[in-house]
Amino acid sequence: IHVMNRNTTFLFPLYESLKFLPDDHATVIRMYLEGWKPEEIATKLGLALQTVYNKRREAILILRKHMVK
């Protein structure tokens, strides 16, 4: 469970939309929103840097489709 603080409260609608993403994609996006750099995300999650970029891109595509509905 992610606990939001006063710095992330304004992002609440975006955090709520993460429920529409696969868990691994949501984790990457959540970390981006929290200020992690791609290299840090890759290291922390044990992923290749390109995988982090791919998951971010795929997540954005999924969220765009959801938002259009």
Side-chain angles (χ1 to χ4, degrees):
I1 296 175
H2 174 75
V3 177
M4 295 189 305
N5 60 35
R6 63 186 174 146
N7 296 326
T8 58
T9 302
F10 74 99
L11 294 173
F12 184 72
L14 186 52
Y15 274 98
E16 278 294 299
S17 69
L18 297 181
K19 65 185 174 189
F20 299 105
L21 296 174
D23 289 342
D24 55 340
H25 289 65
T27 299
V28 168
I29 295 299
R30 189 175 299 111
M31 292 175 81
Y32 267 107
L33 294 175
E34 292 171 357
W36 292 63
K37 295 178 182 173
E39 296 81 4
E40 296 170 327
I41 297 170
T43 300
K44 178 72 174 178
L45 300 179
L47 300 172
L49 182 58
Q50 187 60 49
T51 302
V52 172
Y53 290 129
N54 291 344
K55 288 186 184 299
R56 179 183 63 177
R57 180 180 45 79
E58 292 164 4
I60 291 169
L61 292 173
I62 293 168
L63 292 174
R64 281 184 184 159
K65 287 180 184 177
H66 172 72
M67 294 172 132
V68 171
K69 290 183 181 178

